[in-house]
Amino acid sequence: QSALTQPPSASGSPGQSVTISCTGTSSDVGGYNYLSWFQQHPGKAPKLIIYEVYERPSGVPDRFSGSKSGNTASLTVSGLQAGDEADYYCSSYAGSNTVIFGGGTKLTVL
Amino acid sequence: QFQLVQSGAEVKKPGASVKVSCKASGYTFSNHGFIWVRQAPGQGLEWMGWISGYDGKTNYAQKFQDRLTMTTDTSTTTAYMELRRLTSDDTAVYYCAKAGRMTTVPNFDSWGQGALVTVSS
C-alpha cells in the first residue's frame, strides 16, 4: 500500500493563501469521506486540523479548510501566518480498518 | 482533558524487541481505541496498526504483521506496542494516538508526545 501523494513543498507570503493536494485512489481517498489533515511542527507530535474532509476540530482557525474531488483532497490555508510554517500530512481511511498517510508537505512562509 | 503519556526513549540492538507504553487519562478508556504511528528521522508518518480499548481487537499494517503486537491493560488504562526483530530501519519516533473504539478512521485528535527508539549495534 503506497503512501498518498503530496507535493514535497509549498510556500506563500504572509496573508496569502496556499493549497496542498493529496492524491490517492478509489480504494482510499476516493472511496471514503474519512480524510484528515495533520499539522506537525519540528519536534512535536502531529495535530489534527481537518477531519472527514472539511470538518475542523474545536480551536482550529477557519483559515484552514479542506475539500475533496474524486481521488484528490486539498487543504487550503488562507491568510498565511508565520506560525503556519510546518509539515502537513493527509491521511485517509483505506478500508479493512486500515489507514494510509501522505508523504508530507513542508509549508514555508516566505 | 484527554492526555496520552508515552514511555521514554530506548536504545536497542539489532534483533532485539522494544515495548513502548501509552498511558491514557481524561476519558473512558473503553470508549476509544489507539493507533500507533512511527516517523523515521526526516521522514513522514507511517501507520502501524490499531487496537480497540473496548475489546482488544487489533488490525496491523501488512508490513508489520509478523513482528508487531499491540495490547491494552484496562486496569492501568495503558496501551502497549511491541515490535520484535528490530533492525536499523526501525529507528524512529513512535507515537500513539486516540482512535475509534471499533474502527480506525483517521480522526486522531489526541496524540502522545512520542518515544524515540534507536536501533544500533
Side-chain angles (χ1 to χ4, degrees), chain B residues 1-21:
Chain B
Q1 177 83 11
F2 300 156
Q3 192 172 18
L4 299 175
V5 178
Q6 297 184 229
S7 48
E10 303 250 22
V11 179
K12 296 291 183 181
K13 293 195 181 303
S17 300
V18 68
K19 193 169 186 177
V20 180
S21 67

Side-chain angles (χ1 to χ4, degrees), chain A residues 4-76:
Chain A
L4 304 175
T5 301
Q6 296 182 234
S9 63
S11 63
S13 300
Q16 288 187 332
S17 295
V18 64
T19 296
I20 298 170
S21 63
C22 169
T23 301
T25 70
S26 58
S27 296
D28 37 65
V29 176
Y32 307 94
N33 286 327
Y34 293 118
L35 190 290
S36 297
W37 290 91
F38 297 89
Q39 178 192 62
Q40 186 180 35
H41 287 106
K44 300 295 186 183
K47 174 188 175 184
L48 180 68
I49 57 172
I50 295 287
Y51 67 98
E52 293 175 14
V53 179
Y54 55 81
E55 300 288 348
R56 277 187 309 277
S58 174
V60 174
D62 59 5
R63 299 186 300 103
F64 293 91
S65 61
S67 63
K68 191 186 83 165
S69 178
N71 296 336
T72 299
S74 298
L75 170 72
T76 297

